[in-house]
Amino acid sequence: MAEGKRAGHGIWTPANIVTSIRVVFVPAWLLAAWVAGIPSHEGTGVSWPHLVVALLFILLSLTDKLDGYLARSRGEVTTFGKFLDPIADKLVVVCSMLVLMDWDYLNFWPLVIVVSREFLVSGLRLVVAAEGTVVAASNLGKWKTATTMTSISGYFLHSCLGWGALAGGLYWLSFALMAAAIVLTAWSGFDYFWKSRDALFADEEYEGGPSAKGGAEAAPSWDDCVALAAEVLDEARSRGLTVGTAESCTGGLVEGSLTAVPGSSDVVKGAIGSYACSVKHAVLGVSDEILDTVGPVSPECAAAMAEGARTALGCDLSVSVTGIAGPGGAEPGKPVGLVWFGVSSGAGTRTESVVFPGDRSEVRLRAVRHALQLLRD
């Protein structure tokens, strides 16, 4: 089965129900904001209609964390959830910023920057994914989202207060956080483009890209893998490089083939076995966004795993493996035998996928051989 998932849970999982409620509830929240009207800020009392709007927005924001937690903890990441969750998040942010513009808290520039960044990054991901390269979500994106939502919440809380000292402090704090959010929005967008510059401006496609097939040749034996591992070690040794692995469906077999060769300790730094999504997140730093939206069997996860292993192990070159070894675990667009690989070095991170034929044992051995080939090449 695909690691970190359970098969047969259907579309209407608790996580997807929460996400759907968030989408459906946005029009109701907009109606509440319209009924409350533009805040007058007269006196020092609390405007209860505006307080309701503020609390409802905070509740909408918190449901984003709730559906992500439910999907991960229950192993119920679905294609429907991957589609709907980012739409729900952007819908909440854009609608709230439109309300703040109507209430004269914001001008149009923050909204233009936020929307432009989302369009550009989404287009960039589509283009570089076609080249076999994936740019994993960074901490900048997390800070951008947290700062934006905190600032918007502060503005809405301010709307229900008069212009006392507390309200004035809350306003300027929200203003400062929004300014920081805009900087982080632009910075994280630039970071995406910088990390994918090689793929974006490449003249030709990578060999063995996302649609590569495993071929019908006989599955390798364990001895074949160890022999190839010896070649990897010799090549790495001649270049003065150290290597490490992050493995999911192969369960440490890539490292096992490398360390089966005598004297490998001068090259191999180690391996991180990350079969569970919780380990991918906690040890390798795979973001909640990746695990909740595209799932563990994806180019984004493979890229983040490879980068996380290189950082955690302190090696020069790392390879990651994440896939569906079978016999179960298939889902739409992700058949049994699909394996995503990531290779990370100081020059950047590249991903590619292969759909391997055979039973579980054959898929795993083929994946080991392919990972070793990527390291060697």
Side-chain angles (χ1 to χ4, degrees):
M1 295 180 63
E3 52 272 16
K5 295 189 179 182
R6 286 200 301 261
H9 43 60
I11 291 179
W12 294 113
T13 64
N16 288 348
I17 291 173
V18 171
T19 305
S20 300
I21 291 174
R22 184 159 81 251
V23 173
V24 173
F25 196 66
V26 168
W29 176 81
L30 285 172
L31 179 61
W34 177 76
V35 170
I38 299 175
S40 64
H41 301 297
E42 295 178 355
T44 58
V46 174
S47 170
W48 294 105
H50 291 94
L51 179 59
V52 170
V53 172
L55 294 178
L56 288 177
F57 174 79
I58 293 172
L59 180 63
L60 279 172
S61 303
L62 293 177
T63 58
D64 179 38
K65 295 297 182 184
L66 176 61
D67 60 14
Y69 169 77
L70 289 172
R72 291 192 308 276
S73 62
R74 296 171 59 89
E76 294 176 344
V77 178
T78 66
T79 301
F80 179 69
K82 297 172 191 177
F83 160 77
L84 192 62
D85 183 68
I87 291 178
D89 297 342
K90 292 170 178 58
L91 186 65
V92 169
V93 172
V94 170
C95 288
S96 63
M97 294 183 78
L98 286 171
V99 170
L100 291 176
M101 287 175 60
D102 184 54
W103 290 0
D104 291 328
Y105 279 102
L106 299 177
N107 60 33
F108 63 91
W109 281 112
L111 182 61
V112 168
I113 292 172
V114 168
V115 173
S116 298
R117 185 262 190 196
E118 296 301 330
F119 273 108
L120 290 171
V121 169
S122 297
L124 172 69
R125 282 175 163 171
L126 288 174
V127 170
V128 300
E131 297 296 326
T133 298
V134 170
V135 182
S138 66
N139 287 329
L140 285 174
K142 297 179 183 179
W143 281 105
K144 178 265 297 182
T145 300
T147 307
T148 301
M149 301 306 282
T150 303
S151 172
I152 294 174
S153 298
Y155 277 128
F156 282 124
L157 287 172
H158 176 269
S159 71
C160 66
L161 302 175
W163 277 102
L166 175 62
L170 182 58
Y171 174 83
W172 288 111
L173 175 61
S174 302
F175 180 87
L177 287 172
M178 180 57 69
I182 296 305
V183 171
L184 288 170
T185 296
W187 187 6
S188 62
F190 175 79
D191 183 60
Y192 273 112
F193 275 86
W194 180 256
K195 288 181 178 179
S196 60
R197 63 191 184 280
D198 292 338
L200 186 62
F201 299 109
D203 293 329
E204 58 184 356
E205 297 183 354
Y206 291 113
E207 296 180 0
S211 61
K213 301 296 180 180
E217 72 276 8
S221 67
W222 178 247
D223 289 342
D224 293 333
C225 292
V226 173
L228 181 55
E231 296 180 23
V232 173
L233 293 169
D234 289 341
E235 184 68 21
R237 197 173 286 119
S238 68
R239 295 173 179 267
L241 299 175
T242 56
V243 302
T245 72
E247 302 180 56
S248 196
C249 63
T250 48
L253 291 176
V254 180
E255 187 210 25
S257 65
L258 290 166
T259 56
V261 181
S264 58
S265 59
D266 63 334
V267 172
V268 180
K269 279 295 191 75
I272 297 175
S274 54
Y275 205 73
C277 285
S278 58
V279 177
K280 291 180 177 69
H281 174 68
V283 180
L284 292 172
V286 181
S287 70
D288 291 339
E289 178 185 357
I290 290 174
L291 296 172
D292 294 343
T293 56
V294 293
V297 183
S298 64
E300 291 87 351
C301 186
M305 287 172 63
E307 292 169 355
R310 192 161 65 88
T311 299
L313 298 173
C315 54
D316 302 307
L317 182 65
S318 64
V319 66
S320 65
V321 188
T322 178
I324 306 172
E331 59 181 89
K334 295 182 180 181
V336 170
L338 171 65
V339 180
W340 275 99
F341 300 87
V343 181
S344 181
S345 69
T349 302
R350 171 189 171 188
T351 63
E352 64 179 57
S353 69
V354 180
V355 179
F356 294 112
D359 59 22
R360 180 179 180 85
S361 177
E362 291 174 334
V363 168
R364 280 156 56 93
L365 284 172
R366 291 178 192 273
V368 171
R369 178 176 62 183
H370 195 80
L372 291 169
Q373 289 170 338
L374 290 175
L375 284 174
R376 181 193 63 186
D377 297 341

